[in-house]
């Protein structure tokens, strides 16, 4: 209560701040790795724009993350353009080079008052090389306002059998109702090497959304060394561009 000079009493109105509306569309920044990472001092590519790498788990670099469908060798050309065309993968995808385990993360904050009872769906295209079992997954970890972990969802890994022992991608999704009190969500792309010397677990067109339907694939961003994977007429005599031999 506030008492005025002439003795009258008025009531000070107190209004709660309106809850922040939940974002729509894809919550992930650079969900297809289309924005090229910058080169680091050692000449290798750094983490993709919008993502943060966890501490390096094994000796050496965390990756070269800049990988193209049918690009030039300095752009880590490891997949045929047809693989990207099949999923609308644009120009680039996520590839972790020779790192045994690669973790990239980003996160969003939400208003618990708006988030409670809301469904989150995550997913994307996940793949690998021929009969090798290297695999990738996307997870979402939920934290409350005290930074305590209160829940987790993740996509199922794609096995070589799921891909028919062929190089390519398989779509995966996972969803859950946000736990009561969710204030922060951390998204992690994990790429795990199981066979060979290269981590041939691939990911592209990732998404996380509160919407009822998955967002459209991100806009393709190509350049001279990393062109957008668009269909081309087959060359005379048949056959396509050979993929590099991988370990």
């Amino acid at each position: 209560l506030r008492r005025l000079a002439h003795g009258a009493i008025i009531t000070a109105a107190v209004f709660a701040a309106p809850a922040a509306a939940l974002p729509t569309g894809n919550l992930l920044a650079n969900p297809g790795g289309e924005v090229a990472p910058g080169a680091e001092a050692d000449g290798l590519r750094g983490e993709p724009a919008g993502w943060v790498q966890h501490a390096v788990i094994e000796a050496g670099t965390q990756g070269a993350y800049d990988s193209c469908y049918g690009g030039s060798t300095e752009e880590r050309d490891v997949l045929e353009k047809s693989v990207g065309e099949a999923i609308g993968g644009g120009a680039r995808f996520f590839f972790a080079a020779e790192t045994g385990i690669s973790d990239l993360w980003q996160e969003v904050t939400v208003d618990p008052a708006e988030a409670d009872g809301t469904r989150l769906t995550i997913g994307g295209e996940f793949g690998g090389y021929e009969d090798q079992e290297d695999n990738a997954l996307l997870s979402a970890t939920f934290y409350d306002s005290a930074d305590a972990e209160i829940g987790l969802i993740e996509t199922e890994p794609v096995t070589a059998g799921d891909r028919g022992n062929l190089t390519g991608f398989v779509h995966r999704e996972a969803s859950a109702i946000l736990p009561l009190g969710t204030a922060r969500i951390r998204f992690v792309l994990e790429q795990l090497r199981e066979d060979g010397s290269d981590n041939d677990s691939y990911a592209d067109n990732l998404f996380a959304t509160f919407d009822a339907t998955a967002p459209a694939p991100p806009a393709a961003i190509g350049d001279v060394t990393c062109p957008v994977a668009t269909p081309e007429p087959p060359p005379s005599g048949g056959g396509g561009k050979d993929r590099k031999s991988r370990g």
Side-chain angles (χ1 to χ4, degrees):
L1 301 179
R2 179 179 298 175
R3 186 175 296 275
L4 300 181
H6 53 70
I9 297 176
I10 63 172
T11 301
V14 178
F15 299 97
L22 291 176
T24 59
N26 198 339
L27 305 179
L28 299 179
N30 195 20
E34 290 293 306
V35 181
E40 298 183 331
D42 57 7
L44 295 177
R45 297 286 181 170
E47 61 205 20
W51 297 83
V52 179
Q53 66 180 29
H54 282 190
V56 177
I57 298 176
E58 63 179 23
T61 60
Q62 177 82 0
Y65 286 110
D66 199 14
S67 301
C68 300
Y69 298 110
S72 63
T73 54
E74 59 267 27
E75 292 285 342
R76 301 294 302 193
D77 171 20
V78 294
L79 293 181
E80 294 181 356
K81 289 180 63 177
S82 60
V83 177
E85 293 163 6
I87 61 168
R92 292 179 167 88
F93 62 98
F94 294 98
F95 171 63
E98 297 181 357
T99 303
I101 302 176
S102 170
D103 287 330
L104 297 171
W105 65 270
Q106 56 180 281
E107 59 185 33
V108 298
T109 58
V110 295
D111 189 323
E114 286 292 310
D116 287 347
T118 300
R119 178 171 294 278
L120 174 73
T121 302
I122 62 174
E125 307 295 330
F126 303 91
Y129 175 57
E130 295 187 349
D131 61 351
Q132 294 186 5
E133 293 291 353
D134 301 351
N135 62 85
L137 60 82
L138 180 67
S139 66
T141 305
F142 309 113
Y143 298 87
D144 64 17
S145 56
D147 281 337
E149 182 178 331
I150 55 176
L152 168 74
I153 59 172
E154 61 184 26
T155 59
E156 289 291 329
V158 173
T159 67
D162 294 331
R163 296 183 280 100
N165 292 329
L166 300 173
T167 299
F169 291 85
V170 174
H171 186 80
R172 286 282 192 264
E173 290 187 9
S175 68
I177 300 297
L178 268 60
L180 184 67
T182 298
R184 179 168 60 92
I185 307 171
R186 173 169 288 197
F187 304 102
V188 178
L189 170 62
E190 179 179 304
Q191 295 171 273
L192 175 65
R193 183 183 66 204
E194 296 281 9
D195 299 305
S197 59
D198 286 330
N199 188 335
D200 284 299
S201 59
Y202 314 129
D204 205 348
N205 295 349
L206 303 178
F207 67 88
T209 186
F210 296 123
D211 301 339
T213 57
I221 303 174
D223 52 45
V224 174
T225 57
C226 193
V228 176
T230 54
E232 295 179 350
S236 58
K241 175 181 175 293
D242 289 335
R243 183 185 186 278
K244 282 186 178 180
S245 175
R246 308 302 297 171

